[in-house]
Amino acid sequence: MSSYEVLSRRYRSLKFNNIAGLLSELITQAEQQELSYFQFAELLVDKELSAREINRRKLYLKRAKFPCLKSLEEFDFRQQTTISKKQINRLLDFNWIDNRENLVFFGPSGIGKSHLAIGIGLKAVNAGYKVLFMNFQDLIEYLDLGLAQNALKERIKLLVKNDLLILDELGYLPLNKKSVYNIFQLVNSFYETRSIIVTANKDFTQWGEFFIDETSATAIVDRLIHHCHIFAMGGESYRLKQQMERQSRFAGELKGLSENSPN
Ligand code: ADP
Ligand code: MG
């Protein structure tokens, strides 16, 4: 075994796995660039820390379970005039996560609620927060099954390990009593301890419809909105707009074809 390999193993035994794998390369770099002892010591620790940070991001990104990767950079604020870039950028210091506050995005289908929630979630992952994305219906099933298996508390405990839970598409179908109870338990556990982003088609006044009754809905909504930034979004569906544009382009192309046709 070469002396490099022996040294590498010793680094690995101290869990400096990243520099262990780059040892000969880093030593060559130090020799070529005639680094001082201090600069070399700094180079080693910089390499280890930056590689660990990249690995952490990869891991948190995988664990966040985003359904797709939609970035805030891709979000066209000219198309969504009920919300400003400034408002969203202000959230990127993540003071609201540190202060255990929530975000709620309301509005009709297709206007970019999920896109914004994912974009903010991605930035939060990069900033070092543990994030989990869940479709609301999947959360209901996850908690209902937990209750049936006498494991509701454990499941909620697992969810509370995240700094931020993104609940997408709150309510379409009315829930049964047990599911409402489970949601209340979850929201109660997150209240003032963790943050939630909710995207919803309907505003709070209509939440009684799927949380069965006004009392349960009020108990849940109260905890959600006590410390909360609410974004009421409006406008046309982006999906619909794109589809209409595609269709009119297609119609224009057809017209062009028929006008240019020899017959
Ligand atoms: P919602 O959750 O409000 O129903 P989505 O976020 O799923 O809507 O948006 C529907 C589609 O339109 C997605 O592909 C999304 O990326 C895109 N989209 C919506 N609004 C915008 C926007 N302002 N800029 C860029 N893409 C957008
Ligand atoms: Mg959506």
Side-chain angles (χ1 to χ4, degrees):
M1 198 183 289
S2 77
S3 48
Y4 272 117
E5 279 165 357
V6 174
L7 192 55
S8 254
R9 282 189 169 201
R10 295 178 71 190
Y11 270 101
R12 265 185 233 285
S13 73
L14 291 171
K15 304 264 183 272
F16 291 120
N17 297 331
N18 300 295
I19 37 179
L22 292 170
L23 210 51
S24 71
E25 206 178 291
L26 293 173
I27 291 171
T28 310
Q29 183 184 343
E31 283 168 353
Q32 281 173 351
Q33 295 175 356
E34 296 183 17
L35 299 186
S36 67
Y37 295 125
F38 182 85
Q39 285 172 322
F40 182 57
E42 208 171 34
L43 175 69
L44 290 183
V45 78
D46 281 350
K47 278 283 173 197
E48 184 63 40
L49 287 179
S50 60
R52 282 187 193 189
E53 175 58 14
I54 290 169
N55 290 341
R56 180 202 63 74
R57 280 187 201 182
K58 271 191 206 156
L59 183 70
Y60 280 22
L61 185 62
K62 197 170 149 207
R63 288 191 182 156
K65 298 195 177 130
F66 293 116
C68 54
L69 300 182
K70 298 265 178 185
S71 70
L72 287 181
E73 287 74 17
E74 286 169 277
F75 195 82
D76 186 351
F77 285 88
R78 288 165 309 180
Q79 299 286 336
Q80 178 41 254
T81 50
T82 56
I83 208 164
S84 72
K85 195 172 184 174
K86 215 174 179 181
Q87 274 175 297
I88 298 299
N89 280 346
R90 249 188 249 134
L91 300 171
L92 302 181
D93 59 8
F94 297 109
N95 281 339
W96 57 279
I97 296 188
D98 299 334
N99 297 332
R100 286 50 170 118
E101 294 164 358
N102 302 324
L103 309 182
V104 175
F105 293 95
F106 285 130
S109 185
I111 53 164
K113 302 183 297 297
S114 302
H115 187 142
L116 283 176
I118 293 170
I120 293 169
L122 275 170
K123 295 272 187 208
V125 164
N126 282 344
Y129 295 98
K130 288 185 189 149
V131 179
L132 178 65
F133 181 101
M134 270 186 125
N135 183 277
F136 187 68
Q137 214 52 45
D138 293 341
L139 173 76
I140 300 287
E141 280 166 30
Y142 181 72
L143 295 180
D144 285 358
L145 198 65
L147 187 71
Q149 295 174 346
N150 212 6
L152 180 67
K153 262 192 187 162
E154 284 70 23
R155 292 203 166 185
I156 290 180
K157 252 189 209 165
L158 278 180
L159 295 175
V160 171
K161 283 192 176 162
N162 295 288
D163 300 296
L164 170 65
L165 180 64
I166 301 178
L167 288 183
D168 196 38
E169 297 189 8
L170 181 111
Y172 284 97
L173 307 166
L175 305 174
N176 64 39
K177 259 200 165 143
K178 272 186 191 159
S179 305
V180 174
Y181 166 82
N182 296 342
I183 290 295
F184 174 76
Q185 296 300 325
L186 174 92
V187 170
N188 205 25
S189 301
F190 271 69
Y191 178 57
E192 296 188 336
T193 64
R194 293 287 181 266
S195 293
I196 304 182
I197 297 183
V198 172
T199 79
N201 246 338
K202 296 179 176 171
D203 71 39
F204 298 123
T205 57
Q206 292 165 291
W207 286 18
E209 284 170 28
F210 41 86
F211 290 133
I212 316 177
D213 57 68
E214 283 302 321
T215 325
S216 315
T218 309
I220 293 170
V221 171
D222 265 2
R223 282 162 181 76
L224 261 182
I225 65 170
H226 185 195
H227 310 289
C228 186
H229 305 259
I230 298 166
F231 300 92
M233 295 168 68
E236 282 174 53
S237 161
Y238 188 87
R239 284 191 202 105
L240 201 65
K241 236 186 278 177
Q242 274 196 328
Q243 184 59 21
M244 303 284 271
E245 274 171 21
R246 241 178 269 136
Q247 269 177 6
S248 67
R249 223 177 302 133
F250 183 61
E253 280 164 17
L254 276 183
K255 195 163 170 260
L257 272 180
S258 66
E259 280 170 4
N260 294 334
S261 102
N263 306 320

